Amino acid sequence: MAEEENLKKTTKKGLYWSAASNIASQGMYFVFGIILARLLAPSDYGVIGMLTVFMCVVQVFIDCGFSQALIAKQDRTQTDFSTEFFFNIAVGFVGYALLFLVSPLIAAFYNMPILSPILKVTGLGVLINSLCVVQIAQFAIRLDFKTPAKLKVITQLVSGVGGIVLAYIGWGVWALVIQQIAGGLLHAILLWIFAGWRPTREFSKESFSYLWGYGSKILGASLIQQVYDNLYPLVIGKFFSSKQLGLYSRAQGFASLPSTNLSSVLGSVTFPVLSKLNNDIPRLVGTYRRMLRTIAFIVFPLMIGLAAISSPLVKILLNEQWYDCIIYLQFLCIALIWQPLSATQLNVLKVIGRSDIILKLEILKRGVGLISIFAAIPFGVKGMCIGFDIFYIYCFVLNTYYNSRTLKLSFGEQLQDILPFLLNSIVMGGIVLLITLLPLNKYILLPLCVLVGGAYYYITSSVLFKEVKADALSLIFKRK
């Protein structure tokens, strides 16, 4: 009993610090992004978006799922850590060399010569990230979420201010490039200083065999996921224009702020915590269901509310050149509403060692998704966003089905855990959307929408979902 209470406190503490970090750093990212969007053109963001797929694919190989293998392993050694470290560095050098060599071909593919030098610089981020994968894992293993939270905020603040200064003095797209590289380098330096771990000159074939056996399937799943997710900017950049890609990227940035960050918070904390329950399936299932309810309670109103207020929000924060991103934002909110739930479902499978199922799921998902992307091209960027909605719903249904088989937890039980919050959030979103139609000044309309929507959800939750509301508030305010 004492152990369970201690685990709950550790989880709450970890979620608190991880959430605080994301709120602070992403709050700064949001503010800095708004300032940069006013200083730069949509096409500048589009140029960066065109290179995203190539950077993300190489980055997947840096980790290969090894860090998650170390977190899940109970008898990890210094040899294990050093083995992963030197492997990461080797992959980092090979990855950067490939990006450097193919940069002219990528520039020719998009018919934009500037992409070649930009990729050669941004590719340095792959090398930088390869140096600190083990340090990040060290913090997770120690369940120390406070230190990396602080480091993340410091990095975001320094790189954000630097990016604004460069954009203001006319560096254009290079302001975004330097912001990324400088932020990554500063973060790596801070991780090395505060992690307190140093590699030793050893590389074990036995350690590598274990890490590869666990991580290779995670690698395969992550690779498929990253390639698919970043096909959207690649296809938009190729078949449409850098301006359209910039608008899509800006909308995705807004939509990702609550959804992706909640996924990041939960993933960074729940995986190492749940790993301690991998030998107690009943407790694991109970904790998983409680997480689903809490996540749905938080993310559904946030994403549906964001979709409802997107018009006055964008019109207040950005200038007219960005207004066309409003419709993209609304569609993307509906898609990304499922992301935190799906991420939690996959984390449970990782905890119980079923990385084989995760790989199988990614193959089933992305095969269908690939067809949907190219089928949507004739319908423009809006059509692609609608396809994105359908794809994410399909992913959630597929995850739920396989979790029901693996955990002996019925499909219906998992839906019952989230459906009440979805319906209540839809009603709230409908009310807010009606308010946006009122002939009011946008500076009055936005706070009115937030106030009415927030009041409705708080009151109905106090009546209908007292227990889940208490869990959510306990995490947010770190109640004991």
Side-chain angles (χ1 to χ4, degrees):
M1 193 67 179
E3 182 184 353
E4 186 169 347
E5 285 299 316
N6 183 56
L7 192 60
K8 286 182 180 179
K9 290 181 180 179
T10 301
T11 305
K12 288 183 179 181
K13 184 177 180 180
L15 287 171
Y16 173 81
W17 279 109
S18 188
S21 163
N22 274 269
I23 290 171
S25 62
Q26 292 303 316
M28 287 186 289
Y29 174 82
F30 180 78
V31 173
F32 294 150
I34 295 302
I35 298 172
L36 285 168
R38 289 180 171 273
L39 294 171
L40 302 173
S43 58
D44 292 326
Y45 281 88
V47 168
I48 298 298
M50 290 176 180
L51 301 176
T52 300
V53 60
F54 307 102
M55 290 291 296
C56 288
V57 168
V58 174
Q59 184 59 44
V60 169
F61 284 94
I62 298 298
D63 183 13
C64 299
F66 281 19
S67 63
Q68 295 178 59
L70 285 175
I71 293 171
K73 189 178 182 183
Q74 300 301 313
D75 57 345
R76 63 190 78 88
T77 65
Q78 171 67 14
T79 301
D80 295 328
F81 289 118
S82 295
T83 298
E84 179 181 356
F85 176 78
F86 289 114
F87 176 76
N88 289 336
I89 292 178
V91 174
F93 274 101
V94 172
Y96 177 69
L98 287 174
L99 289 174
F100 191 95
L101 291 173
V102 303
S103 59
L105 301 178
I106 294 172
F109 174 77
Y110 286 112
N111 196 27
M112 294 184 68
I114 193 175
L115 292 180
S116 180
I118 288 178
L119 183 56
K120 289 174 181 176
V121 177
T122 56
L124 291 171
V126 172
L127 278 175
I128 295 170
N129 292 337
S130 69
L131 295 171
C132 50
V133 174
V134 174
Q135 282 75 7
I136 294 172
Q138 288 279 340
F139 285 117
I141 290 167
R142 297 197 294 260
L143 300 180
D144 177 5
F145 306 103
K146 182 177 180 179
T147 303
K150 292 180 177 180
L151 302 184
K152 187 176 181 180
V153 171
I154 294 171
T155 300
Q156 189 67 56
L157 177 61
V158 174
S159 63
V161 172
I164 290 173
V165 171
L166 293 175
Y168 182 76
I169 62 177
W171 281 45
V173 67
W174 285 100
L176 300 175
V177 174
I178 301 303
Q179 179 189 24
Q180 288 182 13
I181 296 302
L185 181 60
L186 176 60
H187 191 231
I189 293 172
L190 292 174
L191 285 170
W192 269 77
I193 292 173
F194 288 93
W197 178 85
R198 297 293 183 270
T200 51
R201 295 182 180 180
E202 52 185 331
F203 187 94
S204 167
K205 291 183 179 179
E206 183 179 348
S207 292
F208 181 81
S209 178
Y210 166 79
L211 295 172
W212 181 257
Y214 182 101
S216 59
K217 299 179 184 67
I218 302 296
L219 166 64
S222 298
L223 185 61
I224 294 170
Q225 178 185 347
Q226 286 293 339
V227 170
Y228 174 82
D229 288 349
N230 288 286
L231 272 179
Y232 278 86
L234 187 149
V235 170
I236 293 172
K238 177 63 178 177
F239 290 94
F240 300 100
S241 67
S242 60
K243 179 181 177 180
Q244 287 294 314
L245 179 54
L247 293 170
Y248 174 85
S249 299
R250 184 70 272 170
Q252 188 179 44
F254 279 136
S256 298
L257 193 62
S259 178
T260 303
N261 281 287
L262 184 57
S263 297
S264 175
V265 169
L266 292 166
S268 64
V269 175
T270 58
F271 179 68
V273 170
L274 288 175
S275 293
K276 297 185 179 299
L277 301 176
N278 58 7
N279 293 322
D280 190 343
I281 297 301
R283 281 181 66 194
L284 183 65
V285 170
T287 303
Y288 161 66
R289 294 189 65 183
R290 187 176 180 181
M291 285 181 178
L292 279 187
R293 291 191 291 269
T294 305
I295 294 167
F297 177 85
I298 296 172
V299 74
F300 284 166
L302 284 177
M303 297 305 293
I304 292 176
L306 179 58
I309 66 170
S310 57
S311 180
L313 179 67
V314 170
K315 289 178 180 178
I316 287 176
L317 296 176
L318 302 176
N319 46 35
E320 289 186 10
Q321 65 177 340
W322 294 95
Y323 286 2
D324 288 342
C325 79
I326 293 172
I327 187 66
Y328 303 159
L329 174 57
Q330 292 170 334
F331 284 127
L332 291 175
C333 283
I334 303 306
L336 295 180
I337 197 173
W338 305 102
Q339 187 180 48
L341 294 169
S342 293
T344 303
Q345 291 173 320
L346 295 179
N347 268 340
V348 173
L349 292 175
K350 291 177 186 176
V351 164
I352 60 177
R354 297 307 306 268
S355 55
D356 57 320
I357 294 181
I358 295 174
L359 178 58
K360 181 179 180 180
L361 280 170
E362 290 305 318
I363 294 172
L364 292 173
K365 293 175 191 174
R366 310 303 163 173
V368 172
L370 193 62
I371 296 172
S372 71
I373 288 178
F374 291 98
I377 291 175
F379 302 98
V381 180
K382 291 180 185 177
M384 295 187 69
C385 290
I386 294 173
F388 202 46
D389 290 343
I390 297 171
F391 171 73
Y392 259 92
I393 294 172
Y394 163 70
C395 288
F396 173 75
V397 171
L398 202 61
N399 288 341
T400 305
Y401 171 73
Y402 273 89
N403 271 29
S404 68
R405 294 179 56 184
T406 307
L407 299 175
K408 308 303 180 183
L409 176 66
S410 76
F411 190 96
E413 286 176 311
Q414 295 178 73
L415 289 184
Q416 288 172 12
D417 286 335
I418 66 168
L419 193 58
F421 311 112
L422 177 61
L423 296 176
N424 195 38
S425 298
I426 290 173
V427 173
M428 180 209 70
I431 294 171
V432 172
L433 195 59
L434 289 175
I435 295 174
T436 64
L437 301 178
L438 296 175
L440 297 174
N441 181 283
K442 59 186 178 182
Y443 294 101
I444 297 175
L445 196 59
L446 181 60
L448 179 62
C449 289
V450 174
L451 181 63
V452 173
Y456 167 86
Y457 197 76
Y458 184 86
I459 293 170
T460 54
S461 299
S462 299
V463 175
L464 301 174
F465 316 120
K466 290 182 180 179
E467 183 179 344
V468 180
K469 177 190 165 189
D471 284 342
L473 291 177
S474 176
L475 293 178
I476 294 171
F477 296 107
K478 201 183 175 184
R479 294 178 180 174
K480 300 297 183 182

